[in-house]
Amino acid sequence: KNEVEQSPQNLTAQEGEFITINCSYSVGISALHWLQQHPGGGIVSLFMLSSGKKKHGRLIATINIQEKHSSLHITASHPRDSAVYICAVSSTGNQFYFGTGTSLTVIP
Amino acid sequence: KAGVTQTPRYLIKTRGQQVTLSCSPISGHRSVSWYQQTPGQGLQFLFEYFSETQRNKGNFPGRFSGRQFSNSRSEMNVSTLELGDSALYLCASSLENTGSPLHFGNGTRLTVT
């Protein structure tokens, strides 16, 4: 049983398309993180949120605490957005759980 | 401001040996957490240190241990290495783990032969 489920696992999009990645979790959380990992391993934290919605450039993250669900949206996708996107949660039990990641490829 | 620094970047060890990995957090960050990433299991939480104390621990055997020094630098040790310990080991620092964004290092890629 995975505490964090992500979908889709793989996603291919044309440049300019609107992209949505979904994350569902089953534990009580203190925060939810969206992470980006490029080939080579480096991880960048995109968002940390515990309620509502956050926006940074073309990226938008939303969370619905009642439904235990979060989405990451990328507007006007670009080839440089190609990466693995990982949802992670800090649980109220002081554990940290990760989704398996969504591999995004944006084709020019 | 310098980012999170992990050393070494690559390491090759033999089964049965032990290894120590190092993580220097961003200046002013007091929380350091460690993660293991493998193709089969994905990212998994190892442990978190705050002000030299282990605050949280994931579900890993006792062969995995760590410590944090007074300057917030952290080390992770794996004893009696097994082939399955081959992985990318990442550390992240934050001001305060549960309430602050995480800043990741580039990782140490450990290969056990």
Side-chain angles (χ1 to χ4, degrees):
Chain A
K1 169 186 164 296
N2 293 327
E3 288 81 4
V4 180
E5 300 278 359
Q6 266 185 256
S7 63
Q9 275 194 307
N10 297 285
L11 187 53
T12 300
Q14 289 291 134
E15 184 174 355
E17 283 186 5
F18 181 85
I19 289 163
T20 296
I21 300 170
N22 294 300
C23 175
S24 297
Y25 53 91
S26 59
V27 296
I29 68 167
S30 55
L32 183 142
H33 305 254
W34 280 103
L35 311 172
Q36 180 192 57
Q37 185 171 32
H38 282 282
I43 293 180
V44 174
S45 177
L46 298 174
F47 295 102
M48 185 190 73
L49 61 166
S50 53
S51 65
K53 175 180 173 178
K54 286 190 176 180
K55 183 176 190 293
H56 181 70
R58 295 179 296 105
L59 274 59
I60 303 166
T62 64
I63 188 168
N64 185 317
I65 297 296
Q66 286 72 34
E67 294 186 4
K68 294 190 172 180
H69 181 270
S70 175
S71 293
L72 175 68
H73 305 287
I74 304 176
T75 62
S77 59
H78 190 277
R80 65 174 173 267
D81 298 327
S82 298
V84 175
Y85 293 83
I86 302 167
C87 173
V89 300
S90 306
S91 78
T92 50
N94 290 324
Q95 289 293 307
F96 210 88
Y97 301 104
F98 294 89
T100 52
T102 295
S103 179
L104 171 65
T105 302
V106 181
I107 299 169
Chain B
K1 212 180 214 184
V4 177
T5 304
Q6 288 189 248
T7 56
R9 287 297 308 276
Y10 302 93
L11 205 47
I12 299 174
K13 289 286 188 178
T14 304
R15 264 183 307 177
Q17 288 186 315
Q18 75 162 15
V19 67
T20 299
L21 312 182
S22 179
C23 175
S24 293
I26 290 172
S27 177
H29 286 192
R30 295 166 66 190
S31 169
V32 174
S33 49
W34 288 90
Y35 308 88
Q36 181 197 64
Q37 186 175 35
T38 60
Q41 298 294 322
L43 271 162
Q44 296 183 89
F45 169 67
L46 279 155
F47 31 65
E48 185 237 349
Y49 286 86
F50 183 83
S51 292
E52 301 180 65
T53 301
Q54 186 182 85
R55 195 158 65 168
N56 303 305
K57 189 177 189 306
N59 189 26
F60 276 81
R63 298 186 298 108
F64 291 81
S65 64
R67 59 179 175 168
Q68 187 180 33
F69 302 95
S70 58
N71 62 358
S72 293
R73 190 178 72 85
S74 178
E75 288 182 347
M76 189 192 104
N77 185 274
V78 188
S79 62
T80 320
L81 283 165
E82 300 176 0
L83 295 178
D85 297 332
S86 295
L88 179 67
Y89 290 89
L90 292 150
C91 82
S93 75
S94 66
L95 285 168
E96 167 99 24
N97 187 37
T98 55
S100 307
L102 298 172
H103 299 262
F104 285 84
N106 287 326
T108 293
R109 189 165 294 281
L110 171 65
T111 302
V112 182
T113 62

